[in-house]
Amino acid sequence: MEFFRFDLDVSREISQFSSHNASISPIIRNKTATVGCIHLKDNSVLGMHPAACPQLFLIADGDGWVKTAGGEQVAVQKGTAVYWSEGEEHESGSYLGMTAIVIEGPDLDPHKYLKPLE
């Protein structure tokens, strides 16, 4: 058995797209998927950018907001999954802190396994 870390203390800062108070702990990157843990601190923004491929943003702790280009901020909380299609411009942030697992891959289809938010 081996143990690894993906917490805030081992993350690297995200500064692209005018982001601030945001960091990522990469978990896996291979030919079919990329997985990472996004850490959004107090008053953070992961700036507007296009999804390079289908992307699933799973809020694991805390709460915050997401939005698409030209849209309004939509509140999200622990247990919420947000899906962005390839090329979709999006932004996320938090006022009090939020942790999310991000999964990216060309074959990603959350409709197969996740229940839609009502």
Side-chain angles (χ1 to χ4, degrees):
M1 178 176 350
E2 294 182 70
F3 296 91
F4 300 90
R5 295 179 58 188
F6 64 95
D7 59 278
L8 179 62
D9 290 341
V10 297
S11 66
R12 69 171 193 253
E13 181 181 357
I14 300 171
S15 57
Q16 304 96 313
F17 319 114
S18 299
S19 301
H20 59 275
N21 289 338
S23 62
I24 186 168
S25 297
I27 296 173
I28 189 169
R29 180 180 295 259
N30 61 35
K31 294 176 185 175
T32 58
T34 300
V35 178
C37 183
I38 301 287
H39 305 278
L40 296 170
K41 299 178 188 174
D42 294 357
N43 298 310
S44 59
V45 173
L46 183 52
M48 189 67 67
H49 62 284
C53 61
Q55 185 178 92
L56 193 58
F57 192 73
L58 306 164
I59 292 83
D61 194 33
D63 55 49
W65 54 267
V66 295
K67 74 177 201 172
T68 55
E72 300 286 324
Q73 288 184 1
V74 177
V76 292
Q77 62 187 2
K78 180 179 178 178
T80 304
V82 181
Y83 175 73
W84 292 294
S85 58
E86 183 173 353
E88 189 171 9
E89 294 268 339
H90 63 283
E91 183 175 68
S92 55
S94 181
Y95 298 111
L96 301 175
M98 181 170 67
T99 303
I101 300 297
V102 62
I103 304 169
E104 299 173 301
D107 298 324
L108 190 61
D109 182 1
H111 303 94
K112 290 182 180 179
Y113 303 104
L114 299 177
K115 181 180 178 178
L117 189 62
E118 297 174 0

